[in-house]
Amino acid sequence: MARLSRFARLKALLPVSLTLLLTGLQPIGARAQVAGRNAQRPPAASRIGVWLTNSPSPLYYDPARIERAVNELAAAGFTTLYPNVWSRGTTFHRSRWAPMEPQLEKANPNLDPICRMTRAAQRRGMEVFPWFEYGLMEPATAEVVKRQPEWVLQRRDGSTGVAMHGTTMVWLNPAHPGVRERFIGLITEIVQRCGVDGIQLDDHFAWPVELGYDPYTRQLYRQATGQEPPANHTDRFWMRWRRQQLTDLLRELRASLRELDEQARRSGKGTGHPTWISLSPGPFRFAYNRWLQDWELWSVGSLVDDLVVQNYAYSVQGFARDLNQPALVKAREWGMPVEIGILAGFGGRTPDMATLTEKVRLAKGRGHGVIYFYWEGLWGEHAGREGAEFRQRAFRDLHRSLPRPTAAAGRR
C-alpha cells in the first residue's frame, strides 16, 4: 500500500517534473524570445507607468477628466498606463461575463472608460495594459458566486471567506473549466474591444494556500494521485499540485492571446506587436508560500512577458534591500523586463518627493522601470502636504532628468 501510494505521488509529479526540467533548460531560449519581443517595444528600464483605479477616485466617470489625466501624464513623462478594468465582481464596460460596475452604470453606461483611456493614451505614444486587479477573487455576495457556488474554493472546514479590502472575499477555482472560460473571456473581450498593448495580472491571480478542499478540487486530486488532499495545506507536494493548476490557467490564457494576435495580424488590425502578459506579484517567497504564485517559473518559462515587482517598503533602506531579492535578480539576468512598483501615495501614506526620487533612482540604477501606485497619489487626492502643483512639477522634472537607456540595454 505504501509502495502504491508513493507511485501515485510520483505519477502525479511527472507533469510538474517535466515542466521544471524543460524550463530548467530554457533560459537561453527564453532570453532569445524576450529579446525578440523587446525589439518591438521601448526597453524596460525606460518604462514609467502608473496604476489608475476608480476607488477612491472619480476618474472613470467623466470623459473630460479622463482626457485631462492622460494629457497630464504624457506631459510628465509617463509611458504606460495600467487602468483597473475588473473590480469587486464588476467590469467597467458591458460584458457578457459579469455585470457593469454600479456607479459607472449610474453615471454613464456608454462611457467605456478603458477604451476611451486607451485611445487617448495611444494617440500620445503611450502603451496601455488593463489591470485585472481582482484576478480570481470575488466578493462573497457577487452574482457569479451565488450562481455557481461549486466554483468556489474551500478550506478544510468548508469555509470560503477571506477578509480583504474591508469585506469578505472568496476565490474562484483556477482548476475548474467554467472558471477558466470566464476568466479568459473577461480578458480577451477587453483586448479585442480596445486594442490594448497587453494586460496585467497581479497578486490576486492566485490560489490562497489554505484553500483547495472543496468537492471539485478533492475529486480532481484523487483522480491525479489516488489520494485525498493532505490535511496540512502547506504540504509541499500539495502546494506544487495546486500551483500547477494555476500555471495551466496562465498557459491557456497565453494561447488565447496568441490566437487573437494571429487573427489581428491576418485582418491587418491590432497594435503590430504581441499582446503582452504583465504580472505584478509581491516578493517571491511570500507570493509562492501564501498565494502559490510561482512567478520565477512563469518568467523563465515565457508565460509572462514583463514583471512589475511591488516594493512598497516605506523607507529608502528597506526599498533598497528588497531590490536584492534573488528571484528578481535572476529574472533580469534571463532578460525578463522588470519594473518596480513604488508607492506614490495612498490613504495616509504619501512619501515626499525627496524619498520618491531616491527610490526611482535606485530602481533605475539597477536597470528597472518604475510603476507608481497610484494615480491619485501622484498629484491628486493623496498628494499629501506638498500639494498637487509642486508634485506634478517635481514628477515631470524627475522623469526628464533620468538617463534614457538604449534598446540594447533594455534587451540585455
Side-chain angles (χ1 to χ4, degrees), residues 60-276:
Y60 278 33
Y61 309 105
D62 180 352
R65 195 184 293 270
I66 290 171
E67 287 286 338
R68 185 167 66 250
V70 173
N71 279 334
E72 290 177 357
L73 290 166
F78 283 81
T79 68
T80 316
L81 306 185
Y82 298 85
N84 185 17
V85 68
W86 165 245
S87 177
R88 297 181 183 269
T90 59
T91 63
F92 295 105
H93 59 279
R94 296 188 191 279
S95 171
R96 61 169 289 202
W97 302 101
M100 183 180 291
E101 196 261 343
Q103 190 174 342
L104 178 63
E105 190 165 28
K106 182 178 179 182
N108 183 352
N110 298 314
L111 179 59
D112 205 351
I114 307 304
C115 285
R116 185 179 295 271
M117 199 178 299
T118 299
R119 291 192 296 269
Q122 290 178 343
R123 283 198 305 269
R124 294 159 178 81
M126 304 163 79
E127 291 190 312
V128 179
F129 289 68
W131 169 38
F132 287 80
E133 179 191 9
Y134 274 59
L136 293 158
M137 183 174 71
E138 296 273 354
T141 57
E143 178 184 311
V144 66
V145 176
K146 295 175 182 176
R147 206 173 57 242
Q148 305 285 355
E150 71 278 9
W151 288 3
V152 178
L153 291 170
Q154 297 178 6
R155 296 184 184 84
R156 281 190 70 218
D157 64 5
S159 64
T160 59
V162 179
M164 292 189 74
H165 303 292
T167 188
T168 301
M169 312 298 291
V170 299
W171 241 268
L172 300 187
N173 189 343
H176 197 291
V179 173
R180 291 186 177 193
E181 181 187 20
R182 179 177 181 269
F183 180 76
I184 292 172
L186 281 164
I187 292 175
T188 54
E189 72 179 358
I190 203 74
V191 171
Q192 289 178 295
R193 288 177 59 257
C194 298
V196 297
D197 300 278
I199 61 97
Q200 186 178 74
L201 308 174
D202 75 357
D203 48 3
H204 297 136
F205 177 71
W207 187 317
V209 70
E210 72 272 17
L211 303 180
Y213 295 92
D214 52 281
Y216 183 84
T217 305
R218 283 180 177 275
Q219 180 184 5
L220 204 62
Y221 188 79
R222 280 195 300 269
Q223 289 173 350
T225 69
Q227 296 182 332
E228 286 291 331
N232 177 11
H233 62 256
T234 62
D235 175 89
R236 288 289 144 176
F237 177 84
W238 175 221
M239 288 175 68
R240 282 197 301 272
W241 185 88
R242 287 175 291 164
R243 182 224 54 198
Q244 186 62 30
Q245 311 312 307
L246 193 61
T247 299
D248 287 345
L249 172 54
L250 184 57
R251 189 174 289 112
E252 282 189 32
L253 174 61
R254 162 68 83 202
S256 297
L257 292 177
R258 282 178 175 160
E259 186 177 337
L260 289 184
D261 288 340
E262 179 59 23
Q263 291 173 7
R265 186 193 65 78
R266 287 198 300 265
S267 65
K269 299 177 181 179
T271 60
H273 51 63
T275 303
W276 269 19

Side-chain angles (χ1 to χ4, degrees), residues 1-12 224-227:
M1 219 34 205
R3 187 174 300 168
L4 274 175
S5 173
R6 284 195 298 272
F7 175 76
R9 289 168 67 90
L10 177 62
K11 182 180 176 184
T225 69
Q227 296 182 332

Side-chain angles (χ1 to χ4, degrees), residues 28 39 102 156 196 229 235 260 277 311 317 326 337 378 391 403:
I28 293 175
R156 281 190 70 218
V196 297
D235 175 89
L260 289 184
I277 298 177
N311 186 344
Q317 293 79 6
L378 298 176
R391 283 174 70 92

